[in-house]
Amino acid sequence: MSYTNEQIQEIVATQRKFFRTGATLPVKWRIEQLKKLKAAVIAHATEFEDALTADLGRSRAEAFLCDVGPIVVEINEMIRGLRRWARPETHFSGLMCFPSMITKVYKMPYGVSLVISPFNFPILLTIGVVAAAMCGGNTVVIKTSSKSSACTAVMKRFFAELFPPEYITLIDGGHDVADMCLAQRFDKIFYTGSPSVGKHVMAEAAKNLTPVALELGGETGNWCVVRKDADIKDAARKIAFFKLLNAGQICININQIAVAKEVVEPFLEELKKAFTKQIGDNPIANEEYPKLITEAAYDKCAKLADEYRDRIVYGGFGDRTSCKYAPTIIYPVNQDEHIVMHELFCPLLPVVPFPDAEIDAMMETIAEREHPLAMYLFTKDMRWAKRTMQTQQYGGGCINEVCIHLMVKGVPFNGTGHSGMGAYHGEWGFREFTHPQTVLKGRTRFNLTLREHPYTGKAGEWKMRLLKWFER
């Protein structure tokens, strides 16, 4: 379906009118909608899995593991926690406010929100964010990716059957439609995608001073560091699993690995074995191995691999017809080469060797670049690992593990700088889609003249003494 500016403007106006009725404010009503959403996700799981296979070549198990299952877990957390999260906070106003001693903080929804979702996890990163917006009491206009067309078609029917358009509406189309959406005055925008488009979203949102949450991949990619004391077999197994997942099209995936020179050769052998064990000698022929989203994405991956053809030590081949490109290890790569200066979003895996004694210099190089969305460290030196994780700037990460920090309940998923702003998942999603409003309850009796004129003379002197006493 094609849209006009007038149609989108009418969708937003209709949702704003509905929001102002106060229908979305009661916590009980929100929980009912979340339960309805959860039941529908479970009922349509097979349909979602089929769409993910069509768009990304995902196996049914991978589709459930990465998209469908996490949504159910996320909504369960919201249903259980919403009453507690939404409860107004009560604060002591302080002696300066006497006799008005009670102040409340109410968690108010922003209103009409816009959720722009990506192609790589089209179900999870649409429904998961929409659930957070619903949890906060907002209405939602959804703009999905035109690249994942099968998932967009399924979700458009899904939301249309489940909720009235004045509450939740999905809009499909290309970049022109996204720009028409961004031209409207929304109360909150949540965008997941690339840093370059994130800048555009912020610029458009700034015209209406609309608050924005961004979940981005990180302009210079996510680093994985393997020290000489690491369990290299364990590290290789986990890294291979992660790089195979969705053919590398994951915002928190490993973009490049820095490996200590002392163990780089045995590590590479273990990584090759791990890839082969998990996906076989010919991943292109393996039905479980996902594909790249479009021919353009395949061509970009293949072209970059060809530039480093003389340094490919594993993989390096693909099939344009199926848009599948094999996991490909490129070694050695210098830390300043262009392949490690931008997000790859494909199965290419550059390996950067470094002397383990120069780990501080390596970490300084990483710190000087744009903040990644994720960081992964493999080492037995927990003191160094903890110190590093507490001093580097990144969205989130793991020590001796990959990606599963994303699955932990009660913790935020977020980025910083070029990897994003804001946070969501569980209560953090509720916070992202609500604004804390402070309200002091005044008294009509026993009000002091402390704040009133005069401020000079004897009256001023005793007022000043009282003010200083109150502020101790």
Side-chain angles (χ1 to χ4, degrees):
M1 176 181 175
S2 58
Y3 293 88
T4 64
N5 278 307
E6 291 72 24
Q7 287 173 316
I8 295 176
Q9 189 174 11
E10 179 61 27
I11 289 169
V12 176
T14 301
Q15 289 207 358
R16 180 159 283 111
K17 183 178 179 181
F18 175 68
F19 175 75
R20 286 175 177 163
T21 67
T24 68
L25 298 184
V27 171
K28 181 180 179 182
W29 185 87
R30 294 186 221 174
I31 291 173
E32 289 172 354
Q33 307 315 305
L34 289 168
K35 287 180 177 178
K36 188 176 178 181
L37 179 65
K38 172 190 167 182
V41 168
I42 294 170
H44 288 77
T46 300
E47 198 175 353
F48 289 148
E49 291 160 10
D50 289 342
L52 287 164
T53 299
D55 283 332
L56 290 153
R58 300 255 200 94
S59 66
R60 193 169 295 280
E62 186 173 321
F64 188 87
L65 171 68
C66 297
D67 273 73
V68 180
I71 294 172
V72 176
V73 172
E74 182 85 355
I75 297 174
N76 279 338
E77 186 178 353
M78 293 175 185
I79 292 169
R80 295 186 187 114
L82 181 53
R83 291 189 188 279
R84 184 177 71 258
W85 305 337
R87 190 178 300 136
E89 297 175 14
T90 302
H91 295 262
F92 170 57
S93 303
L95 293 175
M96 287 288 289
C97 300
F98 181 85
S100 304
M101 308 306 288
I102 301 299
T103 295
K104 294 281 189 179
V105 177
Y106 299 101
K107 287 71 175 285
M108 184 68 180
Y110 280 103
V112 183
S113 60
L114 172 65
V115 172
I116 305 177
S117 60
F119 71 82
N120 59 328
F121 290 92
I123 306 297
L124 173 66
L125 298 180
T126 300
I127 300 178
V129 180
V130 169
M134 292 168 60
C135 183
N138 302 270
T139 67
V140 192
V141 175
I142 309 160
K143 170 60 184 73
T144 50
S145 174
S146 58
K147 293 178 181 178
S148 48
S149 56
C151 289
T152 289
V154 168
M155 286 191 291
K156 188 167 187 177
R157 292 193 302 271
F158 173 82
F159 283 113
E161 293 170 3
L162 197 57
F163 299 116
E166 62 267 25
Y167 181 37
I168 311 287
T169 296
L170 189 148
I171 295 174
D172 52 10
H175 296 304
D176 56 331
V177 177
D179 282 340
M180 284 191 277
C181 290
L182 289 169
Q184 307 304 316
R185 184 176 70 82
F186 283 93
D187 301 305
K188 177 74 176 184
I189 296 174
F190 194 110
Y191 168 76
T192 305
S194 69
S196 59
V197 178
K199 293 175 186 178
H200 174 65
V201 170
M202 282 198 75
E204 293 301 302
K207 295 176 182 177
N208 291 307
L209 294 179
T210 302
V212 176
L214 303 175
E215 292 298 339
L216 312 174
E219 196 152 317
T220 49
N222 306 314
W223 283 85
C224 175
V225 178
V226 180
R227 299 286 305 273
K228 70 176 183 180
D229 64 346
D231 183 329
I232 60 172
K233 186 173 183 179
D234 178 71
R237 174 186 177 186
K238 291 170 179 175
I239 292 168
F241 148 75
F242 197 22
K243 200 64 182 180
L244 290 171
L245 200 66
N246 209 32
Q249 299 167 108
I250 305 177
C251 57
I252 59 168
N253 212 326
I254 295 166
N255 207 68
Q256 56 269 321
I257 317 174
V259 183
K261 285 183 177 179
E262 293 86 341
V263 295
V264 68
E265 293 297 340
F267 170 78
L268 289 173
E269 290 308 308
E270 290 294 342
L271 187 57
K272 294 174 189 177
K273 290 177 187 176
F275 274 132
T276 302
K277 182 178 180 180
Q278 293 182 38
I279 207 70
D281 293 322
N282 184 9
I284 307 307
N286 191 321
E287 292 183 358
E288 291 187 358
Y289 184 55
K291 63 180 181 178
L292 294 168
I293 187 67
T294 60
E295 290 181 350
Y298 176 91
D299 291 342
K300 184 179 179 181
C301 173
K303 181 181 178 182
L304 189 56
D306 285 341
E307 288 182 37
Y308 287 83
R309 179 62 54 187
D310 59 335
R311 283 182 272 174
I312 291 176
V313 297
Y314 182 87
F317 60 94
D319 174 45
R320 192 173 189 272
T321 303
S322 63
C323 285
K324 289 187 176 186
Y325 202 90
T328 298
I329 305 171
I330 301 172
Y331 171 80
V333 176
N334 186 277
Q335 63 188 21
D336 295 321
E337 293 189 54
H338 77 94
I339 194 172
V340 296
M341 300 295 280
H342 64 92
E343 186 181 24
L344 298 175
F345 226 62
C346 67
L348 304 186
L349 189 55
V351 175
V352 178
F354 71 96
D356 196 73
E358 298 177 14
I359 183 60
D360 290 340
M362 185 72 241
M363 299 313 299
E364 183 63 26
T365 296
I366 294 172
E368 287 173 353
R369 297 181 182 175
E370 300 299 349
H371 305 326
L373 184 58
M375 181 173 290
Y376 306 101
L377 307 179
F378 285 89
T379 179
K380 291 186 177 72
D381 187 345
M382 287 300 106
R383 179 176 294 182
W384 172 83
K386 290 176 182 179
R387 184 177 71 250
T388 299
M389 285 302 205
Q390 292 173 25
T391 54
Q392 291 279 331
Q393 291 176 288
Y394 54 96
C398 302
I399 300 171
N400 293 325
E401 193 45 276
V402 293
C403 79
I404 58 174
H405 64 289
L406 193 67
M407 302 169 68
V408 180
K409 291 183 180 180
V411 300
F413 176 60
N414 65 330
T416 176
H418 280 239
S419 59
M421 61 181 65
Y424 76 118
H425 286 188
E427 184 176 3
W428 296 87
F430 170 82
R431 294 181 189 179
E432 189 62 53
F433 279 96
T434 54
H435 171 66
Q437 296 181 175
T438 300
V439 178
L440 179 142
K441 184 181 179 182
R443 299 287 296 273
T444 58
R445 301 180 65 186
F446 307 113
N447 285 285
L448 302 179
T449 60
L450 184 63
R451 60 187 171 185
E452 301 165 4
H453 287 278
Y455 296 145
T456 56
K458 289 185 178 181
E461 289 176 9
W462 72 260
K463 287 179 181 180
M464 183 61 75
R465 284 196 295 270
L466 275 176
L467 285 170
K468 289 182 177 180
W469 184 77
F470 283 153
E471 292 176 355
R472 287 185 303 173

